[in-house]
Amino acid sequence: MSERDRYIKAWDDRRARLFMLCVAVVGFAFTVRSSPWIAGAFFIGAMVGAYRYYEFRCPRCDRHFLPFPRDQIFFDTGRCDSCGLAANALPPDDGGGAA
């Protein structure tokens, strides 16, 4: 797998994690009054989704993309807090193989 493919796979994983979180939050919002058991399942899903989203690791530096300090919450800035890599950025082309 090339470096570019690894980045693409990582960003697709990040989008999938965010989608899972959004589905769980919306599901919770729509079921909270009608069925508390289903709403509870969606709430647990939202907590797992939030944990997985914040556990995403930067494809460049392999540190948490969104670190979660104890004293404050950083919302998604679209950049890695460790190396500054922008979300959905790909590695630069090395020029190898182009003729």
Side-chain angles (χ1 to χ4, degrees), residues 51-71:
Y51 175 77
R52 296 262 307 137
Y53 184 66
Y54 278 101
E55 282 294 309
F56 176 76
R57 296 201 173 260
C58 176
R60 181 192 292 167
C61 68
D62 202 36
R63 292 188 176 179
H64 290 271
F65 194 76
L66 300 171
F68 193 80
R70 293 181 187 174
D71 58 342

Side-chain angles (χ1 to χ4, degrees), residues 3 22-24 26-27 33 35 44-45 49 55 63 71-72 75-76 79 83 91 94:
E3 188 73 7
C22 291
V23 166
V26 169
R33 288 190 180 198
S35 176
I44 292 170
E55 282 294 309
R63 292 188 176 179
D71 58 342
Q72 59 187 0
F75 293 101
D76 192 353
R79 294 196 163 279
C83 69
D94 58 358

Side-chain angles (χ1 to χ4, degrees), residues 71-93:
D71 58 342
Q72 59 187 0
I73 297 175
F74 290 126
F75 293 101
D76 192 353
T77 61
R79 294 196 163 279
C80 176
D81 283 343
S82 299
C83 69
L85 180 68
N88 300 317
L90 297 176
D93 283 339

